[in-house]
Amino acid sequence: MSASPSSMSGGAGAVEAAMRTVVWFRRDLRVEDNPALAAAARTAGEVVPAYVWAPEEDGPYYPGRVSRWWLSQSLKHLDASLRRLGASRLVTRRSTDTVAALLELVRSTGATHLFFNHLYDPLSLVRDHRVKEVLAAEGITVQSFNSDLLYEPWEVLDDDGCPFTMFTPFWNKCLCMVDPAAPMLPPKRINSGDLSRCPSDELIFEDESERGSNALLARAWSPGWQNADKAFAAFINGPLIDYSVNRKKADSANTSLLSPYLHFGELSVRKVFHQVRMKQLMWSNENNHDGEEGCSLFLRSIGLREYSRYLAFNHPCSHEKPLLSHLRFFPWVVNEVYFKVWRQGRTGYPLVDAGMRELWATGWLHDRIRVVVSSFFVKVLQLPWRWGMKYFWDTLLDADLESDALGWQYISGSLPDGRELDRIDNPQFEGYKFDPYGEYVRRWLPELARLPTEWIHHPWDAPESVLQAAGIELGSNYPLPIVELDEAKSRLQDALSEMWELEAASRAEMENGMEEGLGESSDVPLIAFPQELQHMEVDREQFRATIPTPPTAGRRRADQMVPSMTSSFVRAETELSADFGNSEVSRQEVPSQVHFQQRVEIREEVVNDGTAARNNGIQHQQYNNQNTQHRARAGIAPSTSEASSTWTGREGGVVPVWSPPAASGHSDPYTADETEISSRSYLDRQPQSHRLMNWSQLSQSS
DNA sequence: GCAGTGTTTGG
DNA sequence: CAAACACTG
């Protein structure tokens, strides 16, 4: 009955009795319903639980302060749980090269197996693939599992066997698929054998300057999987029943507050799914319509999380490139002053400002308010959405690359089913919708506390006498609107026309280019992050040293709190890249091609702004035709996408780590050639070189 | 009055 | 995309 994970890789001859498995934890920091851990424990061999901290590999997405704090707490919690089960401590490694660290760990513990659970962000896809390649070459059996999702991205396809491009059909499909596996209990016992000769590195997650702020976090949050469990129970037995009614209020009292737990995998979505479904059934029987609907709505937000992984998997560049290609040509306002004002909550729109202050103070923001502030950012200020996303990344407790990319793309009109870019939401109007009595605004904007509700969301309209009575002097202790809405609207229209012109020009240019058989095209380079968002580059140095060094510490603090900025209006230099694949590579450390040999040089090149595109001879361009059908279904007007490049075709340039189950084998609508590897094409390719099973296969075999 | 169509909205 | 709403004849 034991799961025989069909031996698959080299070195199989290892002595069974001495079998030792390294379980590599990442964002699956739980003991319960953890397939990799369960599989390792079931083998009756020895289990080495391990964690590798190598944040430098994440480049600009080095985790922010609050996120690091959460991680540190969660790891402690996990460590304690593992020991309780009889395992050794969590073996930790501080490294700048995860693969090397794992290899060393496996060797020094004499392990023959490495198990881990899947991740789907672009960095992990590439890294995990390398892990598999390198370790398998060493004769280590590597297996990976699904712990993060209800369904693996490649399992959810439309009737034609293609990935969905819109959320609603995606989620409907998920809901009518067979229920995801029931969650597993924690292993009864874990035996690590003798690990006394395997030291751990001390991991440092905060510096001196951060300690104080982090101490405050501990009052509000309790990381760790058992606390996740409690929070979840509290939610489904409490606010869930009123979720459909309450979820619109800006107050977080009614939301689940589970997202940080979910981000770090402390809570299993499968468990969430099953338990919420049970509640739903119950309330349905009781004819509690609101309760039932609340369950659907909550599950849909789980579905959104699911979808964010799905998108990231199918389009590994979704965190930096708009999925609708014409958005590449939108002339973003590159204005760091605006950016700063937004961050500090001094835009003059109370709801926006309240949100930004809350975010700053707590690392938390209600979903609705996230939409408000980000849509203000994109549509009124017209700042490049990646900046906003990066700021969220740096400040949110539940910062999550996939979810945030989805959110920002949705807001900025970059998704087929997202909001129209030209529809500006009025913060005043939304204020009365989400915060009808102005309580939220008053809590976070003390300067407006005495303003009557009638004016709380539009103080600029208030009569002088009212303002005076409330002690407000607009432009002095509370700003006037930084941009008038009407002005924003017309500016937005102009920008959109410009975008279409550029898009048309690019299309024309591309048609020429194709005649010459070259992948020549004007790919718009990413706009560099402002200096202030690049502090990670500096800060990481101090974590490398064992002794925390203060020098840069003050800077980070000042960075977001005090308006001390270099008011340089950085216009990103525009350059044409000769080649798609390369321009991607040069922009961010997400190699879009499978050529991992290039990795070293990629890493060196990655410096936040578009470095010169390299030409490594990869050319691919011909997916336009193959794509048409797909786009049509996605509701993307052919005229807008016909000749532009971005959509599905070449996005999936990353080979994932695990080999998915056999694909249907029909021909791929948008695979061009060998170098053009889309997510579909590797499904068809079935990299035999590293045969890993996914979890569903393994469970079937047990 | 209300079925049928268009429009908004919300993930 | 789909539900909710608004408007029309």
Side-chain angles (χ1 to χ4, degrees), chain A residues 436-655:
Chain A
Y437 309 110
E439 293 158 336
Y440 179 70
V441 165
R442 290 196 189 88
R443 175 153 7 115
W444 294 106
L445 302 178
E447 60 266 47
L448 298 186
R450 293 163 61 198
L451 196 61
T453 303
E454 189 185 358
W455 307 107
I456 192 85
H457 290 300
H458 54 133
W460 56 87
D461 289 330
E464 196 50 45
S465 59
V466 172
L467 289 174
Q468 246 169 31
I472 298 166
E473 196 185 331
L474 288 180
S476 164
N477 59 2
Y478 187 75
L480 282 159
I482 178 175
V483 177
E484 296 284 348
L485 241 38
D486 285 342
E487 192 192 323
K489 259 176 209 165
S490 67
R491 200 172 65 178
L492 190 56
Q493 286 310 323
D494 295 347
L496 284 168
S497 348
E498 193 183 333
M499 175 185 83
W500 290 118
E501 274 169 36
L502 288 170
E503 197 269 340
S506 145
R507 194 183 339 157
E509 187 181 327
M510 193 136 114
E511 269 154 25
N512 288 340
M514 288 207 320
E515 275 164 30
E516 287 151 34
L518 279 172
E520 206 82 30
S521 133
S522 56
D523 204 2
V524 182
L526 294 186
I527 298 166
F529 290 130
Q531 279 300 312
E532 291 148 297
L533 287 193
Q534 292 177 14
H535 60 257
M536 303 314 178
E537 303 290 330
V538 184
D539 283 350
R540 74 173 55 150
E541 293 304 326
Q542 79 198 46
F543 288 96
R544 208 166 271 164
T546 333
I547 313 138
T549 44
T552 53
R555 186 173 160 269
R556 175 200 308 239
R557 216 160 234 280
D559 182 9
Q560 283 167 355
M561 273 184 158
V562 189
S564 66
M565 61 157 317
T566 56
S567 60
S568 53
F569 288 10
V570 181
R571 243 306 166 188
E573 39 185 326
T574 46
E575 64 199 13
L576 300 187
S577 52
D579 172 283
F580 276 144
N582 280 316
S583 61
E584 250 148 57
V585 165
S586 67
R587 279 199 231 126
Q588 215 63 255
E589 54 285 273
V590 184
S592 59
Q593 304 304 329
V594 205
H595 298 180
F596 294 102
Q597 311 83 288
Q598 293 173 357
R599 196 158 173 285
V600 178
E601 89 189 47
I602 288 164
R603 296 208 57 78
E604 284 165 2
E605 266 189 21
V606 172
V607 197
N608 282 326
D609 55 348
T611 2
R614 293 278 201 83
N615 195 334
N616 63 1
I618 301 171
Q619 278 140 19
H620 33 74
Q621 204 50 221
Q622 299 299 337
Y623 39 80
N624 286 297
N625 295 333
Q626 292 103 325
N627 258 343
T628 314
Q629 171 204 357
H630 186 64
R631 288 202 217 99
R633 194 178 45 252
I636 307 166
S639 60
T640 71
S641 51
E642 201 48 59
S644 13
S645 54
T646 331
W647 199 220
T648 330
R650 46 179 253 291
E651 291 276 25
V654 172
V655 170

Side-chain angles (χ1 to χ4, degrees), chain A residues 70-81 83 90:
Chain A
W70 188 289
L71 175 60
S72 69
Q73 301 302 304
S74 188
L75 286 173
K76 278 183 200 160
H77 190 101
L78 177 69
D79 180 55
S81 296
R83 290 172 194 245
L90 184 65

Side-chain angles (χ1 to χ4, degrees), chain A residues 31-43:
Chain A
V31 165
E32 180 183 76
D33 194 34
N34 185 324
L37 180 65
R42 213 164 29 206
T43 60

Side-chain angles (χ1 to χ4, degrees), chain A residues 45-237:
Chain A
E46 293 171 355
V47 177
V48 182
Y51 187 85
V52 179
W53 173 238
E56 287 80 10
E57 289 184 347
D58 297 339
Y61 296 102
Y62 190 105
R65 184 202 100 219
V66 291
S67 187
R68 269 180 282 121
W69 172 80
W70 188 289
L71 175 60
S72 69
Q73 301 302 304
S74 188
L75 286 173
K76 278 183 200 160
H77 190 101
L78 177 69
D79 180 55
S81 296
L82 289 166
R83 290 172 194 245
R84 239 175 285 130
L85 290 171
S88 72
R89 70 192 179 286
L90 184 65
V91 176
T92 54
R93 285 289 180 276
R94 179 68 179 92
S95 171
T96 51
D97 182 349
T98 299
V99 182
L102 283 172
L103 194 56
E104 176 272 323
L105 212 150
V106 163
R107 280 179 176 151
S108 69
T109 55
T112 53
H113 291 64
L114 174 76
F115 289 1
F116 60 88
N117 293 306
H118 295 156
L119 293 177
Y120 309 88
D121 65 284
L123 298 160
S124 297
L125 287 174
V126 174
R127 179 174 48 220
D128 296 355
H129 177 84
R130 258 193 83 230
V131 165
K132 187 161 39 165
E133 277 192 335
V134 170
L135 296 217
E138 293 287 316
I140 306 299
T141 303
V142 184
Q143 282 186 65
S144 57
F145 305 84
N146 168 21
S147 79
D148 195 47
L149 295 176
L150 299 176
Y151 305 102
E152 294 284 16
W154 55 83
E155 294 172 347
V156 188
L157 301 169
D158 67 13
D159 294 339
D160 301 328
C162 296
F164 289 95
T165 54
M166 285 186 264
F167 172 69
T168 307
F170 164 82
W171 185 232
N172 285 338
K173 171 77 182 187
C174 288
L175 287 177
C176 63
M177 286 168 71
V178 56
D179 273 1
M184 298 176 285
L185 292 172
K188 289 199 183 61
R189 194 181 151 68
I190 297 172
N191 170 26
S192 295
D194 180 19
L195 286 178
S196 56
R197 299 185 56 195
C198 177
S200 272
D201 294 340
E202 190 196 350
L203 305 185
I204 297 169
F205 293 101
E206 62 182 12
D207 65 37
E208 287 300 337
S209 75
E210 294 171 334
R211 202 152 294 161
S213 317
N214 285 347
L216 288 174
L217 283 173
R219 292 194 202 167
W221 299 91
S222 307
W225 69 274
Q226 289 170 104
N227 296 316
D229 212 46
K230 283 182 208 154
F232 176 55
F235 175 67
I236 60 172
N237 295 319

